[in-house]
């Protein structure tokens, strides 16, 4: 019997042998390094920069740890903490109900899970932001990118790289504020409207403290990325890092916010899967 099996032509054996599953192929590629996992998440600590609003408004909390026990009389064999944090502290996910335009739309716990794994396009404006911290991405910039690289991914993320993650070590350089307010790059009001209402992406990802430019308080409408994106049932990812490690197209973003019931957002672990040749 075994001899008969060995005499079967290889081409016929291949017909009866099952193909490896997609997931098995993915695991194999991850193990071999053919697919690299890039962490796009800023470390979360008490020194993580946070958004500062004018003093008449409520403020988000900085991240804090409160030790419960650490191998001591409070718990001899375990270490753990309570933590306090704003939903929009550090690398985080904006849900539609974060803004008044999306107040009747999904909270962060209701975001469909299949939207948390999506392809990404990376638009690089590092040189422009270095020259002008108030640089704004216009619709023409995006269309010029599409003319070169193809359309934005349907159901994917538009990630804007500005090099701002190099400032994330401290509050002052990250917010880059003076007496006139913060100076950080972002999208123009018209570009924000176009991304939200006309482009096929599900959301916008940035390296700055929020999806809007530092001067967006004076735009029409104010904070247009929040206003248009949230009102269009789209999402935001902010304070991303390591976008320089991603290709222009072809990466897949995995965003993992906490499913906070009624929450407007959540700190998130954001990863990218990148195929390496």
């Amino acid at each position: 019997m075994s001899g008969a099996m060995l005499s079967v032509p290889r081409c016929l054996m291949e017909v009866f042998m099952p193909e490896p599953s997609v997931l098995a192929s993915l695991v194999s590629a991850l193990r071999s390094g053919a697919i690299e996992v890039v962490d796009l998440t800023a470390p979360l600590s008490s020194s993580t920069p946070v958004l500062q609003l004018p003093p008449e408004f409520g403020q988000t909390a900085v991240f804090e740890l409160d030790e419960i026990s650490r191998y001591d009389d409070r718990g001899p064999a375990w270490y753990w903490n309570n933590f306090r944090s704003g939903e929009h502290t550090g690398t985080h996910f904006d849900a539609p109900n974060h803004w008044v335009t999306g107040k009747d739309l999904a909270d962060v716990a209701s975001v469909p899970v299949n939207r948390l794994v999506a392809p990404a396009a990376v638009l690089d404006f590092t040189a422009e932001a270095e020259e002008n911290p108030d640089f704004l991405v216009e619709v023409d910039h995006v269309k010029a990118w599409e003319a070169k690289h193809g359309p934005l991914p349907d159901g994917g993320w538009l990630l804007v790289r500005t090099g701002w993650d190099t400032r994330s070590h401290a509050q002052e350089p990250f917010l880059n504020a003076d007496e006139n307010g913060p100076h950080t790059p972002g999208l123009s009001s018209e570009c924000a409207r176009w991304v939200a209402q006309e482009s096929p992406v599900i959301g916008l990802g940035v390296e700055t403290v929020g999806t809007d430019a530092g001067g967006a308080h004076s735009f029409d409408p104010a904070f247009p990325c929040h206003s248009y994106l949230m009102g269009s049932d789209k999402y935001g990812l902010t304070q991303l890092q390591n976008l320089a490690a991603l290709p222009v197209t072809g990466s897949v973003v995995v965003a993992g916010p906490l499913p906070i019931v009624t929450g407007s957002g959540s700190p998130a672990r954001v990863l990218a899967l990148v195929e390496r040749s």
Side-chain angles (χ1 to χ4, degrees), residues 43-254:
L44 189 56
S45 72
S46 59
S47 61
T48 297
V50 296
L51 181 69
Q52 288 185 333
L53 298 178
E56 63 268 26
F57 297 117
Q59 305 295 324
T60 191
V62 298
F63 183 82
E64 296 177 352
L65 282 181
D66 177 21
E67 187 175 278
I68 301 173
S69 67
R70 192 172 184 131
Y71 327 120
D72 52 28
D73 291 343
R74 300 169 297 171
W78 52 90
Y79 166 56
W80 57 342
N81 303 284
N82 291 315
F83 67 85
R84 180 174 185 265
S85 177
E87 294 174 326
H88 301 268
T89 297
T91 301
H92 63 271
F93 187 102
D94 291 346
N97 71 336
H98 176 43
W99 211 251
V100 64
T101 52
K103 64 184 179 68
D104 297 320
L105 300 176
D107 64 10
V108 71
S110 303
V111 175
V113 292
N114 61 356
R115 284 188 147 198
L116 300 179
V117 182
V122 182
L123 281 63
D124 186 1
F125 299 103
T126 303
E128 292 86 344
E130 185 174 356
E131 182 177 343
N132 175 19
D134 292 311
F135 171 77
L136 298 179
V137 180
E138 302 287 354
V139 176
D140 285 347
H141 291 122
V142 183
K143 290 188 174 180
W145 183 95
E146 288 187 304
K148 184 176 181 180
H149 300 288
L152 295 175
D154 190 4
W157 289 96
L158 169 59
L159 303 182
V160 175
R161 180 186 168 211
T162 56
W164 216 256
D165 58 339
T166 62
R167 298 168 172 255
S168 64
H169 59 281
Q171 180 92 350
E172 185 174 341
F174 195 62
L175 297 188
N176 196 37
D178 59 18
E179 65 277 5
N180 298 314
H183 298 275
T184 60
L187 272 57
S188 72
S189 183
E190 175 56 22
C191 189
R193 186 204 63 77
W194 183 87
V195 170
Q197 298 179 358
E198 298 187 36
S199 85
V201 300
I202 60 169
L204 171 70
V206 299
E207 297 169 326
T208 48
V209 72
T211 53
D212 274 295
H217 54 83
S218 62
F219 292 4
D220 183 21
F223 305 103
C225 286
H226 283 80
S227 182
Y228 288 127
L229 285 167
M230 308 296 99
S232 299
D233 199 24
K234 294 189 176 183
Y235 315 119
L237 286 175
T238 74
Q239 288 182 250
L240 298 173
Q241 296 196 340
N242 300 320
L243 293 185
L246 304 188
V248 173
T249 62
S251 63
V252 174
V253 168
V254 182

